[in-house]
Amino acid sequence: MKRAAIVVVMASLLAATGRPAFAHQLDEYLQATTLDVQPDHVRVKLRLTPGVAVVETVLAQIDRDHDGVLSEDEKRAYVEHVRSDLELSIDDRKSPLNYVSATYPSVDAMREGNGEIVMMFDANVSSPPGLERQLTFANRHRRDVSSYLVNAILAGNPPVRVLDQTRSEDQSTYHSTYARPDWLVLPIGMSSAVEWLIAIALVVGGILTMSKRRHPKENARACVVVPR
Amino acid sequence: MKANRMSARFARGLVVVSALTFACGAKDAIVDPAENVHASSQTADVVSKANAFLASLDTTQRTRITYAFDDAEERKRWSNFPPAVAKRGGIQMSELTDAQRTAAFALLESVLSPKGMEKVRNIMAADDAFKAQDHGGPPQGGPPHFKGPLFGHELYSIAILGTPSERNAWMLQFGGHHLALNITIAGDRGVLTPTLTGAQPASFEVNGKTVRPLGAESDKAFVLLDALDETQRAQAILKYRVSDLVLGPGHDGESVPPEGLKVSRMNAKQRALLLDVISEWAGIENEGYASARMNEIEAGFDDTWFAWSGATTHEPGKNGSAYYRIQGPRIFIEYAPQGLGGDLTMHVHTMFRDPTNDYGSGLAGK
């Protein structure tokens, strides 16, 4: 009942004053996407937050039988609808987005402007170390009321190197060139000077050891003590 | 013999290189001993105030307000939303007696700088101003059963994770609508990240005087932007619109590629101006804690970036409507105006993070 009151307060304020009460852009459907490049896939995570001024149009799209309840079928159908409006390409080749998971808030939370739908998809893309790849992502879902954010997430050890990024003005399209570091970067994450020093010492030590083994007679002669 | 001479030379070279390497790496970790002593005495004061506050509470209140230091759920129980929408842990100011509230604010004052405390009070005052604009209760003809306000200084809450200690890590949380202070104290260090500040309205009158809780964050950023030359501005200003925080609540542990103008391309004056902007967040803490924090930020300053999205001018005395970001090895700041019927200058959210040390993870090992 308190939640219904909150909704009434906010809707009334919006209607009476033309000024939304608080929270995000209340007259927009915020769609924030993160792109996480992993060795064998790209994880696309989409957070959808409808503002209170547009939530009813979003709910109407999900709640197809308009019974006020989001059934599992309706939720799945909406995920498919959103997925059909997304496009991921690697090196100009479209990569299908495979469903991973989706979570929905309560309808009340959405009506309060506090409801975030989270969807995750994976594109099976191999990203071999050292190879530069071009990633393009486009989101065309509800362009009539949406505000978009899209960012590459740096993760992993070592992390993916994003070499450049461009976005359309409204961030509905994103393009980047990325590469996973090649074999010269050791998997333990050689960020500290001490680790680099140890690695150099090991390499040089190995070279010296191999050098001694290659010239055993010379070394032995050097060690011989000639008795008088 | 030749191999032995090579080994000896190699060993000597290794010693020299090692010494140089450790010297270079160690300089970032050196803290002025005088600062250390100051910060230590500061922590002693903070712990004393924390214990005094806890002692002022009854058993039930003390149980409600304290959590385990590693309580992952409570750590992330913060938001920009009002408490009625996004529930906080701990206890609200409205549930404290006057003496208890005095003790709570004495604790806050020991952790924060005078300017930081003023910022916190102004953010809470903005919530009172918002409530006074008939936004605090049901509208005319609204549901009569609606109970409780949505906004106002009484709804801000305080919580403590762990046990206040001069040696072991513990955390103080204080926040509500548009405020989330997550302060981890470990020995002589106080870590203010992640912290969210916001304001709505971003400008209001109190006794005939204009208050802008986050006005300096906007004004100083414009001073910096205006100090850049055309080439630098072209690099700093993003060619796309950023409409909200990228690493706001719910984005712990994430990082994004830096963008904009790199600090290594700024001159000394511009770098000083950028540090002045950063001080609006880092300086929320008391001087002892803030000093160490600024040292960390400055150590990686050449690899710090400044990015801007939106209008490059603003009306004097009002916040701007543009988004900006400051991102470096030890810092991530966002200033993100929020839509309010089209007036982006009257509602703002900001975020302050340290990608290596949010929740004091780098200090406390957690």
Side-chain angles (χ1 to χ4, degrees):
Chain A
M1 205 56 89
K2 185 174 177 180
R3 284 190 175 186
I6 293 172
V7 171
V8 169
V9 167
M10 294 170 64
S12 300
L13 288 166
L14 180 61
T17 67
R19 294 187 302 160
F22 57 81
H24 296 291
Q25 332 284 1
L26 298 185
D27 56 351
E28 290 181 322
Y29 189 10
L30 178 64
Q31 300 187 42
T33 304
T34 56
L35 304 167
D36 183 4
V37 176
Q38 296 293 325
D40 60 355
H41 68 276
V42 175
R43 168 65 53 89
V44 178
K45 185 172 183 178
L46 189 55
R47 293 177 161 107
L48 304 125
T49 312
V52 290
V54 300
V55 65
E56 293 305 328
T57 74
V58 173
L59 283 171
Q61 203 169 10
I62 306 172
D63 182 18
R64 291 190 294 184
D65 60 8
H66 308 297
D67 65 351
V69 174
L70 304 184
S71 68
E72 291 308 308
D73 282 346
E74 286 171 335
K75 290 176 184 176
R76 270 195 293 272
Y78 186 62
V79 170
E80 287 307 309
H81 185 157
V82 171
R83 180 164 66 157
S84 70
D85 287 336
L86 308 178
E87 188 176 293
L88 182 79
S89 301
I90 302 293
D91 296 336
D92 291 325
R93 290 180 61 182
K94 278 190 199 170
S95 295
L97 289 170
N98 304 311
Y99 169 81
V100 174
S101 67
T103 58
Y104 283 76
S106 67
V107 171
D108 284 346
M110 289 175 70
R111 288 198 164 112
E112 290 164 11
N114 190 28
E116 183 181 79
I117 303 169
V118 181
M119 297 181 185
M120 286 203 284
F121 307 95
D122 278 349
N124 295 328
V125 177
S126 166
S127 298
L131 182 67
E132 284 186 16
R133 310 212 76 163
Q134 309 288 324
L135 181 152
T136 303
F137 175 77
N139 183 352
R140 295 179 188 81
H141 187 61
R142 294 303 307 267
R143 296 196 70 164
D144 54 330
V145 292
S146 291
S147 165
Y148 304 98
L149 292 173
V150 58
N151 288 278
I153 290 296
L154 299 181
N157 184 21
V160 168
R161 284 167 47 216
V162 175
L163 304 172
D164 67 64
Q165 300 180 101
T166 55
R167 298 167 174 82
S168 59
E169 197 279 336
D170 65 356
Q171 294 203 53
S172 63
T173 306
Y174 168 90
H175 177 92
S176 75
T177 305
Y178 71 88
R180 285 181 59 222
D182 60 24
W183 66 273
L184 283 176
V185 179
L186 298 181
I188 58 172
M190 304 287 283
S191 58
S192 80
V194 172
E195 287 169 323
W196 273 113
L197 201 58
I198 292 170
I200 292 168
L202 287 171
V203 168
V204 173
I207 293 171
L208 285 176
T209 302
M210 286 170 62
S211 170
K212 278 187 182 175
R213 283 183 186 166
R214 196 174 297 149
H215 304 285
K217 285 186 183 176
E218 191 178 299
N219 289 336
R221 199 178 308 128
C223 294
V224 166
V225 176
V226 178
R228 290 179 184 269
Chain B
M1 189 70 79
K2 189 175 175 184
N4 286 342
R5 280 202 294 271
M6 279 177 64
S7 295
R9 277 197 210 120
F10 169 73
R12 279 196 293 271
L14 199 58
V15 167
V16 170
V17 171
S18 302
L20 286 171
T21 303
F22 278 109
C24 290
K27 78 169 173 63
D28 294 345
I30 289 174
V31 175
D32 183 345
E35 284 180 2
N36 236 2
V37 170
H38 181 61
S40 292
S41 63
Q42 193 70 63
T43 296
D45 184 42
V46 172
V47 170
S48 167
K49 298 288 194 313
N51 286 333
F53 169 58
L54 287 170
S56 74
L57 306 175
D58 62 38
T59 308
T60 305
Q61 290 174 314
R62 212 173 297 126
T63 304
R64 283 181 56 197
I65 205 174
T66 51
Y67 299 81
F69 178 67
D70 58 356
D71 187 328
E73 285 304 310
E74 178 55 27
R75 278 190 181 194
K76 57 186 184 189
R77 198 172 284 132
W78 52 274
S79 172
N80 51 286
F81 286 110
V85 178
K87 189 168 164 41
R88 310 303 202 272
I91 199 164
Q92 287 185 346
M93 296 296 106
S94 61
E95 299 175 88
L96 299 178
T97 64
D98 287 347
Q100 291 169 338
R101 215 178 303 190
T102 299
F105 277 97
L107 168 57
L108 267 183
E109 284 166 357
S110 70
V111 182
L112 307 186
S113 64
K115 198 169 82 165
M117 198 63 217
E118 184 186 6
K119 199 183 295 286
V120 166
R121 289 190 187 279
N122 285 342
I123 289 171
M124 297 168 71
D127 221 45
D128 286 334
F130 195 68
K131 177 182 173 182
Q133 293 166 11
D134 291 325
H135 295 173
Q140 290 287 342
H145 51 262
F146 176 74
K147 287 189 173 64
L150 290 173
F151 310 107
H153 70 276
E154 300 254 316
L155 303 182
Y156 287 73
S157 59
I158 187 167
I160 290 175
L161 288 76
T163 304
S165 164
E166 291 184 46
R167 286 197 298 182
N168 301 325
W170 58 286
M171 187 187 297
L172 171 67
Q173 289 184 316
F174 182 82
H177 188 205
H178 287 143
L179 182 67
L181 300 177
N182 295 290
I183 307 165
T184 303
I185 295 157
D188 57 7
R189 293 296 312 274
V191 176
L192 184 62
T193 53
T195 275
L196 179 147
T197 59
Q200 183 187 16
S203 177
F204 55 97
E205 301 274 316
V206 174
N207 298 326
K209 189 180 161 193
T210 300
V211 178
R212 295 168 61 215
L214 303 179
E217 285 82 341
S218 177
D219 297 344
K220 289 182 178 181
F222 274 99
V223 170
L224 169 62
L225 186 71
D226 290 343
L228 303 181
D229 64 34
E230 284 308 307
T231 303
Q232 291 171 316
R233 283 163 72 96
Q235 291 173 349
I237 297 172
L238 304 173
K239 293 178 178 55
Y240 56 88
R241 176 189 167 219
V242 183
S243 59
D244 203 351
L245 297 172
V246 170
L247 297 184
H251 289 267
D252 292 344
E254 294 181 7
S255 81
V256 296
E259 295 177 274
L261 172 69
K262 205 169 178 190
V263 168
S264 57
R265 298 195 178 109
M266 290 185 182
N267 61 34
K269 179 189 168 192
Q270 294 160 345
R271 292 162 75 105
L273 290 173
L274 179 57
L275 283 171
D276 198 25
V277 177
I278 291 169
S279 73
E280 286 301 319
W281 284 271
I284 290 174
E285 286 189 290
N286 64 51
E287 188 189 338
Y289 296 159
S291 213
R293 181 73 177 111
M294 289 302 288
N295 284 343
E296 286 172 351
I297 292 168
E298 289 188 65
F301 211 40
D302 275 352
D303 292 321
T304 300
W305 299 69
F306 174 65
W308 188 277
S309 169
T312 55
T313 59
H314 72 115
E315 202 177 312
K318 284 186 76 172
N319 287 13
S321 62
Y323 167 97
Y324 71 81
R325 182 190 308 161
I326 300 166
Q327 180 177 1
R330 299 296 303 268
I331 186 169
F332 190 90
I333 287 174
E334 294 182 273
Y335 178 98
Q338 305 290 303
L340 179 64
D343 189 354
L344 289 163
T345 69
M346 287 297 280
H347 184 184
V348 61
H349 295 169
T350 85
M351 197 67 229
F352 182 44
R353 289 188 181 274
D354 179 347
T356 68
N357 201 17
D358 269 357
Y359 304 104
S361 57
L363 294 179
K366 295 191 180 204

